[in-house]
Amino acid sequence: MAQTSPVHTQETCEHTNITSVPFSNINIPMDSVLAVDEDIPTIDFLMLFSDDPIQQSKALDNLSNACDEYGFFYLVNHGVPDSVIEGALEGIADFFEVTKEEERKEYVKSSPADRIMWGLNSHAEENREYLKVVAHPQFHCPAKPASLSKALEEYFKRFQDVKIGLARAISMILGLEEFYIEKFFNLKSGFDVSAMNVYPPNFQSKGSIGVPSHTDPGFFVSLIQDVNGGLRVLSHKGKWINVLTNGKYKSHIHQVVVDTNKVRRISLATLHGPSLDTLVIPATKFVDHFHPLGYRGMTYKESLEANGHHEIEVQSCLEQLRL
């Protein structure tokens, strides 16, 4: 299979968001690692399911290291055609170019039942315009332009196989039954939210930050963008941790910067989560006398609403879960 365009993925397996604190204000422990785009490991999706046991074992080891040490990785040979990825990014560009700002304001947050949300931030702490949509299990999208809905629906449809494949691979590296995460999170009915972001060129921004430092909820986040660069990952050993593995894997803090943007940059980040009614609690495999239960159970829906947020905002509530 020809190598497809890389997709950023962030492995969270958390009831694993936005802390509006820039890196300069974070107390960074001595074992932290700051990684930029070129430092992030690359995972070959095809090799995770190779018929050659040696190749598969090596690919699974690479995935395990990426999840353990970084929480981020590039995914190649994932099977989503370049034309589908390019179509999604072009559809997003069409939305922000064809519609007027007054039209987009129709989607300003108004109700907990919102399935489409728009926002615009231009200040020292954040510089982006964004559109969020619930992509799964039911697909929602603005009616105009038609190119956006068609392109996004095709992209999300194609990515479902990648989501399920990663769930199976991560189950294996955790020593779980291959279908454990897929069934535990009920991913066939998983609550996926996509954020379409437009970042300004640096000469138009009001600061160096596109999106402030944050971690993300759900199972994992996939990211595609039309211009490379802008992502920084901060690895904090043991500080940002997830619920499912009772602390084995970390949720790594990251931010988006715009100070190197020479042109406008568009990205599509999708937070792939459990079904809303899934009770997320540490798996029994990771709880014993030496590793006591660290988190109480809560449905994914309850966790997203715990701090007064709406589901579409996909904000986590890790502190409320901690015992």
Side-chain angles (χ1 to χ4, degrees):
M1 180 184 295
Q3 189 180 73
T4 48
S5 295
V7 175
H8 274 103
T9 62
Q10 177 198 2
E11 185 279 322
T12 63
C13 275
E14 202 207 355
H15 254 7
T16 69
N17 215 355
I18 290 197
T19 60
S20 49
V21 202
F23 275 125
S24 58
N25 292 338
I26 295 174
N27 182 20
I28 301 176
M30 292 300 291
D31 58 359
S32 297
V33 178
L34 180 63
V36 294
D37 301 74
E38 59 267 23
D39 298 319
I40 297 172
T42 296
I43 301 299
D44 189 326
F45 183 79
L46 195 60
M47 290 298 100
L48 295 173
F49 305 96
S50 173
D51 292 331
D52 183 328
I54 296 176
Q55 287 187 329
Q56 183 189 35
S57 178
K58 182 178 179 180
L60 289 171
D61 285 346
N62 289 339
L63 177 63
S64 179
N65 181 69
C67 291
D68 197 26
E69 297 298 327
Y70 288 87
F72 276 77
F73 51 86
Y74 286 112
L75 192 68
V76 297
N77 290 331
H78 42 69
V80 181
D82 289 352
S83 59
V84 172
I85 293 175
E86 291 163 4
L89 294 170
E90 288 169 3
I92 296 168
D94 287 347
F95 173 78
F96 288 104
E97 290 170 1
V98 173
T99 60
K100 297 178 181 179
E101 186 173 321
E102 287 304 313
E103 294 178 277
R104 301 197 285 274
K105 285 181 179 178
E106 170 189 351
Y107 302 111
V108 170
K109 183 179 78 171
S110 60
S111 163
D114 286 342
R115 289 297 181 258
I116 303 175
M117 187 177 79
W118 171 87
L120 174 63
N121 293 306
S122 181
H123 50 74
E125 297 295 321
E126 185 171 353
N127 289 271
R128 65 165 175 160
E129 184 177 4
Y130 64 87
L131 177 72
K132 289 187 177 183
V133 303
V134 173
H136 191 265
Q138 289 84 35
F139 174 65
H140 300 262
C141 191
K144 295 194 305 182
S147 60
L148 174 64
S149 177
K150 182 178 179 180
L152 287 183
E153 191 164 20
E154 179 65 14
Y155 171 75
F156 297 140
K157 178 182 177 181
R158 296 286 192 132
F159 205 85
Q160 287 304 303
D161 288 342
V162 181
K163 177 175 75 173
I164 297 302
L166 282 176
R168 294 175 183 178
I170 291 173
S171 290
M172 287 189 283
I173 64 176
L174 286 171
L176 301 167
E177 184 268 328
E178 182 178 351
F179 303 99
Y180 184 92
I181 290 176
E182 181 182 349
K183 293 186 290 187
F184 183 86
F185 281 162
N186 189 16
L187 291 180
K188 294 239 169 101
S189 298
F191 187 68
D192 297 351
V193 175
S194 283
M196 288 153 267
N197 305 294
V198 176
Y199 301 105
N202 52 19
F203 60 85
Q204 290 180 350
S205 68
K206 295 185 178 178
S208 63
I209 305 300
V211 177
S213 308
H214 65 285
T215 60
D216 292 303
F219 170 37
F220 75 94
V221 181
S222 60
L223 171 69
I224 58 174
Q225 54 187 7
D226 64 345
V227 178
N228 289 332
L231 178 66
R232 290 180 182 171
V233 183
L234 184 65
S235 170
H236 279 239
K237 274 280 191 179
K239 187 168 183 181
W240 284 276
I241 54 181
N242 64 72
V243 174
L244 176 65
T245 62
N246 202 38
K248 176 176 172 61
Y249 280 169
K250 280 76 59 184
S251 166
H252 294 295
I253 200 164
H254 57 285
Q255 69 174 190
V256 178
V257 294
V258 297
D259 51 352
T260 58
N261 282 14
K262 295 181 179 179
V263 296
R264 181 187 71 170
R265 188 170 80 247
I266 292 174
S267 74
L268 170 60
T270 305
L271 288 79
H272 305 274
S275 65
L276 288 173
D277 60 357
T278 293
L279 178 67
V280 181
I281 194 167
T284 55
K285 174 182 174 63
F286 302 106
V287 180
D288 56 31
H289 177 72
F290 299 102
H291 304 90
L293 189 70
Y295 304 89
R296 65 186 178 90
M298 181 182 288
T299 68
Y300 191 49
K301 177 181 174 66
E302 290 170 338
S303 76
L304 295 178
E305 297 175 337
N307 291 320
H309 295 290
H310 297 175
E311 292 169 0
I312 195 170
E313 294 180 273
V314 283
Q315 302 286 319
S316 71
C317 67
L318 195 58
E319 291 306 314
Q320 285 93 328
L321 293 169
R322 202 184 304 276
L323 293 175

